[in-house]
Amino acid sequence: MRPDAAFHKVHTMPKISVTSKLDGIRSWSLQALDTCPGSIESPGVLVDACKGCYATTGNYVFANVKAPREFNRADWERFAWVDDMVNELARDKHFRWFDSGDVYSLALAEKILDVMTRTPWVKHWLPTRMHKFPKFALVLQAMQALPNVMVRPSSDSIVGVYTPGLHGSVIVPDSHVDPSMVTLCRAYEHAGKCSGCRACYSKDVPVIAYPAHGARMNKVIRLKVAA
């Protein structure tokens, strides 16, 4: 018997998060950094974009916030997880994968693809750094090929550097961007909330630029610029 057999027998439903920034749009998440192999530049060193990760500060450090993300890390391995997720999304119009964490496992990625395929009424947004690993290429391409899915491979830069045709999002130091090149996230104009914007879910928006926010990220940028 698998060590987590008793866990799976008792707990049978995924834990869905509701993030206020997203206008009540729901998400499925994992613990930040623990499930983010793409965040590592070299042993013990995070890529710039992850050094000021919002999901390692604020409310994210509390045990009650961590608990559902830790639960999900074991729960997704259940045989019935895909069916449960499809049922869970019966009334959703938009869904975000990973407001923290990443699709660290190929088996998880394949299950998420199954959920996306079976929920064509939902617009899915999946930000990720797993595009760095060749074994994920086919499953991420299959996700992106679905008309209801927008996969956004994240740039590691915090100063607006990205590769056209590869990256779907990048952090910028401030709101001064070339609108012909990227679409600026304007949540900063609405107290940090999406306020009806759904650009991140749209295939018509190739690259989203997120202005840096938070004291930790601003410090990382200052150090980067000064280096």
Side-chain angles (χ1 to χ4, degrees), residues 86-208:
V86 171
N87 291 333
E88 183 68 35
L89 298 181
R91 293 193 176 106
D92 291 78
K93 294 182 178 179
H94 293 81
F95 193 77
R96 174 175 175 171
W97 294 91
F98 305 105
D99 66 77
S100 65
D102 205 342
V103 56
Y104 69 99
S105 161
L106 187 57
L108 172 58
E110 290 168 344
K111 283 193 170 185
I112 291 175
L113 172 60
D114 198 1
V115 174
M116 292 170 166
T117 302
R118 292 173 55 187
T119 55
W121 62 88
V122 180
K123 287 188 177 296
H124 297 265
W125 162 32
L126 189 149
T128 185
R129 297 185 195 282
M130 300 309 294
H131 60 283
K132 299 177 180 181
F133 304 97
K135 71 177 183 179
F136 284 84
L138 290 179
V139 68
L140 292 177
Q141 289 168 11
M143 290 177 180
Q144 190 73 310
L146 294 173
N148 61 319
V149 176
M150 186 61 192
V151 176
R152 291 198 178 276
S154 303
S155 167
D156 291 337
S157 174
I158 54 176
V159 291
V161 178
Y162 69 94
T163 301
L166 171 60
H167 296 125
S169 68
V170 64
I171 295 172
V172 291
D174 52 45
S175 61
H176 299 96
V177 300
D178 183 348
S180 68
M181 301 295 291
V182 298
T183 296
L184 182 67
C185 170
R186 295 189 175 277
Y188 69 92
E189 297 178 345
H190 308 284
K193 300 183 184 301
C194 295
S195 296
C197 177
R198 300 292 179 263
C200 292
Y201 304 81
S202 175
K203 290 182 181 292
D204 295 327
V205 180
V207 183
I208 302 280

Side-chain angles (χ1 to χ4, degrees), residues 33 36-51 129 132-133 156:
L33 301 185
C36 301
S39 70
I40 301 171
E41 181 176 14
S42 60
V45 179
L46 296 174
V47 300
D48 287 340
C50 297
K51 290 176 181 177
R129 297 185 195 282
K132 299 177 180 181
F133 304 97
D156 291 337

